[in-house]
């Protein structure tokens, strides 16, 4: 697929797995009058299973590279990873299984928001987890249970908003929560 963006154009939206955006020609006026919807970065191969070849591969992956990747069903994050980046798996509505190393310390804002098929998340295994970001699991409507680890210090605003089936949240006995 080839995309030709004319000179002096402004692109709005993500240039990742979202596959769309808006383009507006720049004019002398402050507000663009004509917005043209684009579909770009089409990939004929649907990603169903994602396993990074190593830590460097994971750490250099585009933070929003899998955003709205609706075909994705399972993800394996490599040992040694410490952070799940902001919006990394946002809107992956068919994501059912996530395998994370114990080394994860931070789940950034919106990291798994909109993962509607996610029923179980391996919180128990994340013994080094210190922070869950804002909206990190928002709209994970099938998430049922969260066993929060002992070292957790911060849960962001609306981290579990609209998780309708989340009926059991287990806080550690030795709570270290600050926020």
């Amino acid at each position: 697929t080839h995309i030709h963006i004319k000179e002096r154009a402004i692109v709005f939206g993500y240039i990742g797995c979202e596959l769309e955006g808006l383009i507006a020609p720049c004019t002398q006026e402050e507000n663009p009058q004509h917005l043209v919807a684009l579909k770009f970065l089409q990939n004929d191969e649907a990603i169903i299973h994602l396993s990074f070849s190593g830590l460097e591969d994971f750490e250099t992956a585009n933070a929003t590279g899998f955003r709205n990747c609706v075909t994705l069903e399972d993800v394996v994050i490599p040992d040694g990873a410490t952070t799940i980046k902001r919006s990394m798996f946002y809107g992956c509505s068919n994501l059912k299984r996530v395998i994370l190393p114990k080394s994860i310390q931070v789940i950034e804002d919106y990291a798994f928001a909109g993962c509607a098929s996610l029923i179980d998340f391996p919180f128990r295994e994340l013994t080094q987890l210190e922070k869950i970001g804002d909206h990190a699991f928002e709209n994970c409507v099938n998430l049922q249970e969260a066993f929060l680890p002992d070292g957790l210090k911060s849960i962001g605003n609306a981290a579990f908003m609209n998780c309708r089936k989340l009926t059991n949240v287990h806080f550690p006995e030795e709570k270290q929560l600050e926020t």
Side-chain angles (χ1 to χ4, degrees):
T1 303
H2 297 287
I3 301 166
H4 179 70
I5 299 175
K6 294 181 181 178
E7 190 175 323
R8 297 186 48 143
I10 301 171
V11 177
F12 299 91
Y14 286 92
I15 304 179
C17 195
E18 232 176 63
L19 306 178
E20 59 187 322
L22 295 173
I23 185 170
C26 283
T27 63
Q28 299 298 332
E29 303 167 27
E30 286 186 27
N31 296 320
Q33 292 180 345
H34 305 285
L35 294 178
V36 180
L38 289 180
K39 292 274 184 190
F40 51 87
L41 296 179
Q42 296 282 357
N43 186 346
D44 293 333
E45 297 177 34
I47 301 171
I48 297 171
H49 310 286
L50 177 63
S51 181
F52 294 89
S53 61
L55 184 58
E56 184 178 352
D57 187 34
F58 173 73
E59 288 178 342
T60 58
N62 183 335
T64 57
F66 305 100
R67 186 179 167 103
N68 288 323
C69 191
V70 297
T71 58
L72 188 61
E73 292 182 7
D74 61 76
V75 173
V76 179
I77 305 298
D79 288 337
T82 59
T83 302
I84 304 298
K85 298 174 190 172
R86 177 185 174 97
S87 300
M88 190 164 206
F89 300 104
Y90 176 96
C92 294
S93 57
N94 284 309
L95 184 62
K96 296 173 181 70
R97 188 173 74 120
V98 179
I99 297 174
L100 299 169
K102 293 178 189 213
S103 55
I104 293 293
Q105 297 171 8
V106 177
I107 298 173
E108 291 186 349
D109 303 347
Y110 300 96
F112 294 98
C115 294
S117 297
L118 198 58
I119 294 171
D120 187 31
F121 192 84
F123 289 107
R124 263 187 235 224
E125 299 163 21
L126 303 179
T127 57
Q128 296 181 41
L129 184 64
E130 294 181 359
K131 180 183 179 189
I132 297 173
D134 295 343
H135 306 273
F137 294 92
E138 179 180 352
N139 292 320
C140 290
V141 295
N142 285 302
L143 188 63
Q144 296 177 357
E145 201 166 39
F147 285 85
L148 303 176
D150 289 338
L152 188 64
K153 294 178 182 172
S154 175
I155 300 174
N157 294 325
F160 294 98
M161 187 168 104
N162 202 27
C163 293
R164 291 180 239 151
K165 292 188 178 179
L166 184 61
T167 55
N168 293 312
V169 178
H170 304 274
F171 289 93
E173 289 181 29
E174 301 292 323
K175 293 187 282 279
Q176 295 184 26
L177 282 175
E178 298 167 2
T179 57

